[in-house]
Amino acid sequence: MTDRSLAALGLGGAPAELPLTYPGRPVTEPALLTGDQLLPLCAAEGRRLGDWRVVADEAGPPDSGPRLDAALAALGRPTAGRRHPVIAVGSNASPAQLLHKLTGHGLSTAVPMVPVRVRGVGVGCSGHIGRHGYVAAAPYADPAADRVLVISWLDTEQLAAVDATEFNYRRALLPGTGFPMAMPSGERLGGAYLYVSVHGVLVDEATGLPLPGGGDQHALLSGLLAASAELRALLGPDPASWVARARADEAVRTEGRRILRGRGPLLTASGLPAPEETGAAPRRYDELPPAPPLRPRSAPSHLPRA
């Protein structure tokens, strides 16, 4: 039987413990995280997530395993329809990071994780230094963006636990009508949650565009250090010293944030929905019916019709 542990799959190591590996390695196929195991999911064309199959035996037919809802119920956990879809632009796409967060709160780690094609969401860098020492990713509205992002289906307890780790962000509900999200099954999601930074998004001084985030943290920190004598004095000379000093001292992180913000105006998340009101009951997958199919783009009027 194939070893499906995160370590065996090369997905071990949480960025919270290994900051320079941020954002960690994301899932690349639909999967069910349970304990430290990652079991493949077989998408059922035209069907909702709970009807997908868990691939329990990779030697057999992929659709011969139990339905996801049955597998979750057997674990004593809420089914897919009672869970909350949450888009990751950073380390929450890493099963090792989710495992770290959920076990830290003493919670079940049973989480369906699915790479989904999402339009309209750019990925930049938040204008702060996180408590683990890295500069985390942050979303912003970008009509031209078309990328694959991992969505995790969290139960209510898990969502509250992840919320508690995202104190530099606020959770907003992204509508599937304005931001199309296409599942591997062909379903267009009616909506999903997204964490939006309260610090805005860093802008590249050379281009005036958002500084790309969610990539190689070592390269990002090296570039920021090379561009700023103040950052080198505070956090240099290299990325390893950056994360060591930032992790150890909140005052250093605060001063680093001041320097980052002084590089120029930060991009706000304008165009993304406002965060939900405090205390609002989060929407469940069952409460977010699929969005209608996208209409095919019509040919420009100056072109002859076939």
Side-chain angles (χ1 to χ4, degrees):
M1 185 174 179
T2 303
D3 185 350
R4 298 294 303 184
S5 68
L6 297 184
L9 295 171
L11 298 173
E17 298 173 323
L18 302 166
L20 286 179
T21 68
Y22 182 91
R25 294 192 62 188
V27 299
T28 57
E29 61 179 1
L32 172 63
L33 175 66
T34 174
D36 70 342
Q37 305 287 307
L38 199 64
L39 305 179
L41 291 176
C42 179
E45 187 173 353
R47 305 298 293 273
R48 297 275 275 177
L49 179 63
D51 286 329
W52 296 13
R53 298 282 178 170
V54 179
V55 182
D57 180 5
E58 294 183 71
D63 58 354
S64 63
R67 291 172 58 249
L68 174 60
D69 275 354
L72 290 169
L75 294 169
R77 306 310 307 161
T79 54
R82 296 166 57 198
R83 292 170 173 264
H84 315 283
V86 182
I87 302 170
V89 298
S91 65
N92 287 338
S94 160
Q97 187 83 324
L98 270 188
L99 180 67
H100 175 85
K101 290 185 176 187
L102 296 176
T103 54
H105 283 80
L107 297 177
S108 163
T109 63
V111 179
M113 304 179 72
V114 181
V116 175
R117 183 163 293 282
V118 180
R119 296 187 192 175
V121 176
V123 179
C125 298
S126 180
H128 80 289
I129 300 173
R131 62 191 174 110
H132 299 301
Y134 47 68
V135 175
Y140 61 93
D142 177 4
D146 185 353
R147 64 182 71 233
V148 174
L149 299 172
V150 173
I151 297 184
S152 296
W153 271 256
L154 304 176
D155 67 33
T156 301
E157 288 182 334
Q158 292 168 339
L159 181 65
V162 174
D163 280 353
T165 70
E166 301 288 353
F167 38 79
N168 288 292
Y169 296 78
R170 297 293 180 267
R171 179 165 42 81
L173 182 61
L174 203 66
T177 49
F179 298 85
M181 303 171 226
M183 294 273 276
S185 61
E187 175 189 348
R188 273 195 62 212
L189 292 177
Y193 284 101
L194 182 71
Y195 289 105
V196 179
S197 175
V198 300
H199 302 288
V201 175
L202 296 177
V203 171
D204 187 328
E205 293 176 292
T207 66
L209 299 173
L211 190 66
D216 184 332
Q217 184 72 189
H218 192 282
L220 172 64
L221 300 187
S222 295
L224 291 171
L225 286 167
S228 171
E230 280 191 287
L231 286 176
R232 289 196 299 276
L234 179 70
L235 294 162
D238 53 36
S241 64
W242 175 309
V243 296
R245 293 180 184 182
R247 295 183 83 178
D249 193 337
E250 182 179 357
V252 169
R253 297 195 297 273
T254 300
E255 177 63 9
R257 182 180 68 201
R258 182 196 67 78
I259 296 171
L260 287 174
R261 296 177 70 88
R263 296 167 72 252
L266 274 69
L267 177 72
T268 66
S270 58
L272 293 177
E276 288 200 323
E277 294 182 7
T278 302
R283 303 279 294 280
R284 296 174 173 177
Y285 180 45
D286 271 352
E287 298 170 325
L288 297 165
L294 286 174
R295 294 181 179 178
R297 295 177 180 175
S298 57
S301 58
H302 66 277
L303 294 180
R305 295 185 180 272

